[in-house]
Amino acid sequence: MKNILILFLLFSLSITSFAQTVKSKDVAQIMQTFQNQQKAWNNGDLEGFMNGYWQSDSLKFIGKNEITYGYEATLNRYKKSYPDTATMGKLQFDILSFKKLDKKHVFVIGKWHLKRDEKEDLEGHFTLIWEKINKKWVIIADHSS
């Protein structure tokens, strides 16, 4: 009986360790996407910034005034709101919370800050739902304000 209990505990620990390893890999992939987005934004590359988003008509972007549906509509919204690099400024993300909901979904809360020379700086918060689609983590819903 004692041996069975020890085997059960070892099995449980190995499952927990495996789950943590998978989580660390997922976190690293998502954090790399944040870095890629920040670099693209800071280079004035909105299309590159959008590489972190799900390229689907089902993408949802919730801003302070409206909900935008779809990848192309979200990209066009960014282009309208940030028509040039001076307006875009330099983007900095600060991740506040990272919660894996299940093996395919992650919920992230963070802050964004735009440092701008010619205009007033902007900042706010965001909540993102990420989904693993075709072995890639992408944002399927973005609520930024």
Side-chain angles (χ1 to χ4, degrees), residues 116-132:
R116 305 192 298 182
D117 293 330
E118 299 174 21
K119 297 182 180 243
E120 182 179 335
D121 288 359
L122 297 175
E123 64 183 4
H125 290 85
F126 59 84
T127 56
L128 305 173
I129 298 176
W130 293 74
E131 184 172 332
K132 195 168 196 176

Side-chain angles (χ1 to χ4, degrees), residues 8-143:
F8 176 76
L9 289 173
L10 288 174
F11 178 75
S12 296
L13 288 173
S14 66
I15 294 292
T16 302
S17 179
F18 176 75
Q20 289 172 346
T21 301
V22 172
K23 183 179 178 182
S24 296
K25 183 179 176 184
D26 294 336
V27 170
Q29 289 175 358
I30 291 171
M31 293 306 292
Q32 182 62 55
T33 301
F34 274 121
Q35 290 175 3
N36 293 344
Q37 285 185 301
Q38 187 172 295
K39 182 178 180 182
W41 183 280
N42 292 339
N43 288 328
D45 179 8
L46 286 174
E47 286 83 3
F49 173 79
M50 288 292 295
N51 282 335
Y53 287 88
W54 185 26
Q55 292 188 21
S56 168
D57 291 339
S58 297
L59 171 69
K60 293 172 186 63
F61 182 93
I62 302 98
K64 75 176 188 180
N65 295 323
E66 65 185 2
I67 300 175
T68 302
Y69 297 94
Y71 179 88
E72 289 298 325
T74 300
L75 175 58
N76 290 335
R77 180 191 175 284
Y78 274 118
K79 286 180 177 181
K80 182 179 177 185
S81 297
Y82 302 97
D84 55 47
T85 56
T87 306
M88 290 175 74
K90 298 299 179 188
L91 175 64
Q92 178 68 44
F93 288 126
D94 183 16
I95 306 305
L96 303 176
S97 172
F98 191 102
K99 180 167 178 63
K100 191 162 186 184
L101 303 175
D102 59 35
K103 68 181 184 176
K104 286 182 55 178
H105 296 93
V106 171
F107 180 68
V108 177
I109 299 172
K111 292 175 67 172
W112 57 270
H113 181 86
L114 291 181
K115 175 78 174 142
R116 305 192 298 182
D117 293 330
E118 299 174 21
K119 297 182 180 243
E120 182 179 335
D121 288 359
L122 297 175
E123 64 183 4
H125 290 85
F126 59 84
T127 56
L128 305 173
I129 298 176
W130 293 74
E131 184 172 332
K132 195 168 196 176
I133 300 173
N134 298 324
K135 299 182 181 180
K136 180 182 176 187
W137 285 101
V138 291
I139 300 164
I140 65 167
D142 178 339
H143 182 195

